[in-house]
């Protein structure tokens, strides 16, 4: 697998994105946003264009995709990981405004129905199963996060495997094997333990964040990646807490534990990430 990175520089989009179309040689990935303010990830392989989670506005998603020359109206499906607001709140808008079919588990739909409003095209998958979708394989892995029925995802196009792994709860059985099977991953690196301990969160919220149904710390995520083996070539670090973490500390922790075995991109709380192409 070869990694090709297109950096964003000085807020200016290279015109190459407006002209480039995928030929099936690459899997393209960009995090439109990641964190408690809202989550949305774009993955493209061949002619298949997918979004994962909808916690940002339709206009925001449309604008950030257009930044890379991608039309949101070409997206084939929206997959929802769980019912929390920062992952599902605009799923109904994505469907009604852009006619994107929405995929989620039935339990997630039941829990999120009041948040997403009317969605005429909801399609269910079973948590923990894998299924083909327009030339790729979607794998869903149950998570112990405190949601109605949370999952993380792997997109496999037969050449590359990319995982969207946030809101994990803790490093549960089988997670390390999933990460070791990937070429690229967006992995949560939510909090720094000392910042959480010293921060203003009430004790019950601190316990929730670091508990078995909460989030991974920088150290948890870095140690998971350090054991991932040789296949993994690029990592997005995301779902970074605004109150209990900072991007520089995330990178410092991961580089200290993992060295520079793979590039670490940041999936930002308020902006679009760099785009990565996997082949």
């Amino acid at each position: 697998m070869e990694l090709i990175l297109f950096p964003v520089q000085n807020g200016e989009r290279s015109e190459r994105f407006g002209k480039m179309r995928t030929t099936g040689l690459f899997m393209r990935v960009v995090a439109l946003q990641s964190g408690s303010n809202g989550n949305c990830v774009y993955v493209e392989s061949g002619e298949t264009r997918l979004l994962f989670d909808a916690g940002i506005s339709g206009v925001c998603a449309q604008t950030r995709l257009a930044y890379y020359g991608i039309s949101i109206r070409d997206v084939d499906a929206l997959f929802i990981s769980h019912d929390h607001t920062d992952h599902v709140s605009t799923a109904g808008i994505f469907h009604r405004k852009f006619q994107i079919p929405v995929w989620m588990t039935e339990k997630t739909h039941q829990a999120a129905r009041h948040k997403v409003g009317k969605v005429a095209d909801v399609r269910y998958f079973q948590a923990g199963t894998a299924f083909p979708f327009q030339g790729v394989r979607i794998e869903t892995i149950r998570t112990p996060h405190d949601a109605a029925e949370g999952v993380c995802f792997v997109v496999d196009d037969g050449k590359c495997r990319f995982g969207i792994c946030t809101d994990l709860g803790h490093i549960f059985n089988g997670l390390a094997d999933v990460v070791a099977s990937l070429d690229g991953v967006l992995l949560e690196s939510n909090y720094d333990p000392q910042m959480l301990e010293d921060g203003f969160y009430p004790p019950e919220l601190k316990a929730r964040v670091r508990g078995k149904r909460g989030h991974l710390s920088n150290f948890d995520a870095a140690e998971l990646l350090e054991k991932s083996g040789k296949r993994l070539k690029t990592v997005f670090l995301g779902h970074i807490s605004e109150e209990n973490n900072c991007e520089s500390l995330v990178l410092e922790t991961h580089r200290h534990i993992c060295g520079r075995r793979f590039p670490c991109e940041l999936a930002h709380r308020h902006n679009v990430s760099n785009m990565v192409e996997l082949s």
Side-chain angles (χ1 to χ4, degrees):
M1 187 214 74
E2 179 183 3
L3 169 69
I4 303 173
L5 174 65
F6 295 100
V8 179
Q9 296 180 343
N10 302 321
E12 297 181 358
R13 177 179 66 85
S14 169
E15 289 304 315
R16 78 179 105 180
F17 292 110
K19 299 175 183 177
M20 181 173 60
R21 301 308 306 163
T22 301
T23 63
L25 300 176
F26 302 106
M27 181 182 286
R28 305 169 75 190
V29 181
V30 61
L32 302 184
Q33 190 166 301
S34 179
S36 58
N37 294 85
N39 296 270
C40 191
V41 181
Y42 175 81
V43 179
E44 176 183 315
S45 179
E47 297 301 315
T48 303
R49 298 166 176 82
L50 308 173
L51 287 174
F52 292 85
D53 287 332
I56 62 176
S57 74
V59 170
C60 182
Q62 184 176 31
T63 301
R64 290 178 180 177
L65 285 172
Y67 186 89
Y68 286 112
I70 300 162
S71 171
I72 195 171
R73 297 187 183 276
D74 291 335
V75 171
D76 298 299
L78 167 64
F79 292 90
I80 300 297
S81 64
H82 64 289
D83 59 279
H84 289 174
T85 299
D86 55 328
H87 291 260
V88 75
S89 62
T90 55
I93 294 171
F94 281 33
H95 171 69
R96 294 187 294 272
K97 186 176 180 65
F98 305 116
Q99 292 75 56
I100 304 173
V102 181
W103 290 71
M104 63 180 86
T105 72
E106 187 171 5
K107 286 184 180 179
T108 294
H109 190 203
Q110 291 171 352
R113 195 181 297 270
H114 67 287
K115 300 176 184 178
V116 303
K118 184 179 180 180
V119 180
D121 191 356
V122 178
R123 308 179 188 187
Y124 295 141
F125 61 83
Q126 295 293 321
T129 64
F131 51 92
F133 182 88
Q134 295 187 192
V136 301
R137 174 181 168 91
I138 307 294
E139 299 174 12
T140 69
I141 299 98
R142 292 179 182 271
T143 70
H145 189 56
D146 57 355
E149 190 173 43
V151 300
C152 54
F153 296 101
V154 173
V155 183
D156 187 335
D157 67 2
K159 180 185 293 185
C160 297
R161 289 171 54 80
F162 186 83
I164 301 99
C165 300
T166 67
D167 299 76
L168 297 172
H170 63 275
I171 300 178
F172 53 88
N173 289 340
L175 180 59
D177 291 336
V178 171
V179 173
S181 78
L182 302 175
D183 299 292
V185 64
L186 191 161
L187 180 66
E188 72 169 333
S189 189
N190 180 253
Y191 68 95
D192 174 75
Q194 193 61 54
M195 287 185 67
L196 178 65
E197 180 63 28
D198 295 341
F200 64 87
Y201 278 9
E204 61 272 17
L205 184 53
K206 291 180 181 180
R208 181 256 174 186
V209 170
R210 63 189 170 214
K212 292 292 187 179
R213 303 190 69 197
H215 294 281
L216 300 192
S217 73
N218 294 340
F219 295 100
D220 293 333
E223 289 175 357
L224 177 64
L225 293 173
E226 195 274 332
K227 299 174 183 176
S228 63
K230 297 181 178 180
R231 178 165 182 169
L232 192 64
K233 297 299 190 298
T234 191
V235 172
F236 288 88
L237 300 171
H239 224 296
I240 299 168
S241 172
E242 192 165 37
E243 294 80 14
N244 305 304
N245 213 347
C246 63
E247 292 184 346
S248 60
L249 186 55
V250 170
L251 290 175
E252 177 185 331
T253 303
H254 281 263
R255 285 171 178 160
H256 175 73
I257 294 175
C258 300
R260 296 183 180 271
R261 289 174 43 209
F262 37 72
C264 285
E265 292 294 313
L266 292 173
H268 304 287
R269 291 181 58 87
H270 301 291
N271 201 5
V272 65
S273 74
N274 287 326
M275 175 177 279
V276 165
E277 290 192 346
L278 305 172
S279 64

